[in-house]
Amino acid sequence: MHIGIIGGTGPEGRGLAARLASAGLEILLGSRDAGRARDAVERIRSADAHLPIQAATNDSVVESSGMIFLAVPFTHAAGAVESYRHRWRPGTVIVDLTVPLTFVQGVPTYVDVSEGSAAEHLRARLPPGVRVAAALKTIPAWVLERLDIPLDCDEFVCGDSPEARAAATEVLGRIPALRLLDAGGLESARALERMTLLLIGINKRYRVRTGRFRVVGV
Ligand SMILES: NC(=O)c1ccc[n+]([C@@H]2O[C@H](COP(=O)([O-])OP(=O)(O)OC[C@H]3O[C@@H](n4cnc5c(N)ncnc54)[C@H](OP(=O)(O)O)[C@@H]3O)[C@@H](O)[C@H]2O)c1
C-alpha cells in the first residue's frame, strides 16, 4: 500500500512529500484536481527530478494508501473525512496534520474545537477500524519544503492507539535528522496544536521562518 497525502498541493503537503520521498518512500500526492497534483509534483521535482512522488486525486489516495496524511485546512478537514465515509478501509492509518487556527488582526488564534483538538474532532468522524495519529503540527511547512535545511529538531506523535503512533513514527522516522517523540494519546494534540500558535508567534517576533522544537534531557 502507498503512503498518500490528501491536500498534498499546499506547502505542508508538498514539504512532507518531498521529505518522505527523499527518504526513499513512494508517495501519492493527492488533490481534488489531478492537474493541480501534477503541478505540485513538478514543482517538488524541480529540486530533484528523481523523487518517487506520483500525482493523484484525493479519491485515489483514499483507495490505494495504507497510511494517509491529512494536509487540508482545518475548516475543511471534517468535510473531507466525511466525504469518504463509505470508503475508509479498516486498518488505514490517518495522520492528522491540521491545526485549527485563524488570524485575528494578524494574531494567530486557536479556534476552539468541541472535542478538544482537531485530531480528536477528526477521530470522532472516522469509523472505529481506522486508526488516527497526529504529527508534524509544530514544524513550519517552509522548513519542510527546504530540503537543503536539515530538520535537526524533534517532532511529537500522538495517537488513538499504540499501533497508530508506532505506524506514524515508523514512516516519519525515515526522515533524516528528525527525532520523533511519543506524545501519548490523541488528547495530547490539544497541547501540540497550541504549541504551533506559540511557535508562529516566536517566529514572527524573531523575524525567522525556521523556528522549531527540541526537547532536551530525553
Ligand atoms: N503551513 C504550515 O506551516 C503548517 C504547519 C503545521 C501544520 N499545518 C497544517 O497543515 C494543513 C495544510 O497546511 P497548508 O499550509 O499546506 O494549507 P493550504 O495550502 O491552505 O491547503 C492545502 C491544500 O488543501 C486543499 N484544500 C483547500 N480547501 C479545501 C477544501 N475545501 N476541501 C478539500 N481540500 C481543500 C487544497 O488542495 P487542492 O485544491 O489541490 O485540493 C490545498 O492546496 C493545515 O491544516 C495546517 O494547519 C500547516
Side-chain angles (χ1 to χ4, degrees):
M1 294 297 276
H2 285 98
I3 293 167
I5 305 174
I6 290 180
T9 53
E12 180 75 2
R14 290 195 311 262
L16 173 64
R19 292 281 173 178
L20 291 178
S22 296
L25 294 168
E26 294 194 9
I27 305 302
L28 277 186
L29 184 150
S31 166
R32 289 167 296 177
D33 177 87
R36 275 201 297 278
R38 279 194 297 274
D39 291 347
V41 171
E42 217 168 276
R43 177 174 171 163
I44 299 167
R45 287 226 188 100
S46 64
D48 179 347
H50 302 293
L51 290 176
I53 308 174
Q54 216 179 302
T57 59
N58 289 336
D59 288 11
S60 48
V61 165
V62 171
E63 266 154 37
S64 31
S65 307
M67 176 173 290
I68 299 175
F69 289 87
L70 188 62
V72 301
F74 170 70
T75 41
H76 304 300
V81 157
E82 282 171 348
S83 68
Y84 293 112
R85 189 178 303 125
H86 302 297
R87 292 164 64 185
W88 296 117
R89 278 169 292 97
T92 302
V93 177
I94 306 282
V95 186
D96 167 45
L97 310 179
T98 69
V99 180
L101 67 80
T102 186
F103 286 85
V104 178
Q105 292 174 344
V107 179
T109 306
Y110 194 80
V111 174
D112 279 321
V113 180
S114 59
E115 292 85 354
S117 66
E120 292 164 285
H121 181 75
L122 297 173
R123 170 63 283 173
R125 285 156 181 80
L126 281 159
V130 169
R131 307 275 38 142
V132 179
L136 284 195
K137 300 208 181 212
T138 69
I139 301 181
W142 190 87
V143 177
L144 277 183
E145 278 205 90
R146 289 284 305 266
L147 293 180
D148 57 322
I149 301 177
L151 289 180
D152 199 20
C153 66
D154 291 338
E155 179 49 40
F156 309 90
V157 180
C158 62
D160 65 1
S161 57
E163 294 77 21
R165 294 202 294 274
T169 300
E170 207 276 309
V171 167
L172 292 170
R174 309 274 194 100
I175 299 175
L178 177 66
R179 182 176 68 151
L180 281 314
L181 290 175
D182 184 346
L186 212 52
E187 64 281 0
S188 295
R190 299 174 190 191
L192 296 176
E193 291 167 10
R194 287 169 170 85
M195 284 165 65
T196 309
L197 270 78
L198 177 71
L199 187 65
I200 292 171
I202 290 172
N203 277 335
K204 200 170 165 197
R205 280 186 292 281
Y206 284 82
R207 298 176 195 280
V208 296
R209 295 159 118 179
T210 48
R212 48 208 189 272
F213 290 102
R214 168 71 84 198
V215 176
V216 298
V218 179

